[in-house]
Amino acid sequence: MANKISILSTRPLETALLEAAKAKDVQIDIVSFIDTSPALTAGIKDEVVKIIKQPTAVVFTSMNAVSSVAAYINGDKPDWNIFCIGNTTRQLAARYFGEQSIHTVGNNASDLADKMITGKQIKQVVFFCGDQRREELPGKLRQNGIAVQEVIVYHTISTPHKIDKAYDGILFFSPSAVQSFFYANAVLASTVLFAIGQTTADAIKSFTDNLIIESERPGKDELVKKMFQFFKK
């Protein structure tokens, strides 16, 4: 990478990724376009505590949901079969609920739903999610006769910012962040947009015709690697 590449990340990144970028002459600026807050009503708390005490198939498609539920376990290890998406969400679920509880891992919500349907063992699941969860997973499961109990454990809050700097690339990690970004910003035709998965890429397409590079696997590190590979060319 001859000239310094300028990248905007719409979500915080680990120090190790920022250091790796610096070593490759890539400057990454961090500006968060969404925030999350736990859903802390008494009703939600009672519901989560009840689910923790019983053997259950549970689904996580976001690390925010894992963190929100983990706040209620008080060191217990629930008797759960966990179905989740890969990398960060999976690692967090294993840390809080035990490696033995991880049953099936998908590349994204749609892939996870397909695996659960193919397995033919699941009749009902608890889906811990946010208030802006997408329809792919619960829709597919219900269409295939699997009962889904949705428990909203966190809220997603849009935090738009006006960006005045021109970037070579922008990293997007969720459709919510895409909507929040484009609420206050447009992009130059030359800016390359990186999406963590298909749903995020689809959200970008509704705002711009710019080149979109999609990560095949979930995880912030995977998307950053994809960005490195692109600009190395």
Side-chain angles (χ1 to χ4, degrees):
M1 301 181 197
N3 301 317
K4 183 162 274 200
I5 301 295
S6 185
I7 300 294
L8 174 66
S9 175
T10 58
R11 188 174 189 168
L13 296 174
E14 287 76 14
T15 307
L17 289 175
L18 298 177
E19 291 297 328
K22 202 172 173 182
K24 294 176 186 290
D25 256 355
V26 177
Q27 170 63 42
I28 301 182
D29 296 340
I30 308 280
V31 181
S32 289
F33 283 84
I34 56 167
D35 200 0
T36 58
S37 65
L40 293 173
T41 65
I44 294 290
K45 184 174 181 180
D46 290 347
E47 198 167 2
V48 173
V49 168
K50 190 168 85 177
I51 295 164
I52 285 169
K53 291 176 179 170
Q54 55 198 35
T56 311
V58 305
V59 178
F60 291 108
T61 58
S62 101
M63 51 188 263
N64 295 310
V66 174
S67 301
S68 298
V69 172
Y72 296 109
I73 62 173
N74 292 325
D76 294 334
K77 289 283 189 286
D79 183 12
W80 285 350
N81 280 332
I82 293 177
F83 299 80
C84 61
I85 59 172
N87 268 25
T88 314
T89 302
R90 184 216 176 284
Q91 288 165 14
L92 214 55
R95 187 199 307 168
Y96 285 123
F97 307 115
E99 186 68 44
Q100 77 291 340
S101 66
I102 308 295
H103 186 284
T104 301
V105 180
N107 284 326
N108 52 51
S110 183
D111 177 51
L112 181 61
D114 289 341
K115 287 180 175 178
M116 294 171 73
I117 292 158
T118 306
K120 292 189 167 63
Q121 305 155 328
I122 309 299
K123 301 293 178 217
Q124 57 184 49
V125 297
V126 173
F127 180 26
F128 291 115
C129 56
D131 58 345
Q132 292 188 29
R133 70 103 180 104
R134 296 180 69 82
E135 183 59 30
E136 287 93 344
L137 182 133
K140 268 191 177 183
L141 295 183
R142 287 179 178 129
Q143 285 165 14
N144 285 273
I146 298 172
V148 182
Q149 177 189 351
E150 293 183 37
V151 182
I152 293 172
V153 290
Y154 71 95
H155 300 293
T156 302
I157 303 138
S158 180
T159 56
H161 303 276
K162 185 79 180 87
I163 301 295
D164 296 318
K165 185 173 170 181
Y167 286 97
D168 297 300
I170 303 175
L171 306 174
F172 288 104
F173 299 91
S174 71
S176 307
V178 171
Q179 289 162 5
S180 181
F181 174 86
F182 282 102
Y183 176 82
N185 300 282
V187 289
L188 295 174
S190 59
T191 303
V192 182
L193 308 176
F194 296 85
I196 200 157
Q198 189 183 336
T199 53
T200 301
D202 289 344
I204 295 170
K205 286 172 192 169
S206 68
F207 291 100
T208 179
D209 294 328
N210 282 41
L211 176 63
I212 300 168
I213 305 293
E214 190 182 319
S215 174
E216 291 93 7
R217 293 193 291 272
K220 291 189 277 192
D221 52 342
E222 293 293 335
L223 191 60
V224 172
K225 277 185 208 163
K226 199 81 179 168
M227 179 267 292
F228 288 158
Q229 287 166 4
F230 177 84
F231 285 111
K232 194 175 181 181
K233 296 172 191 169

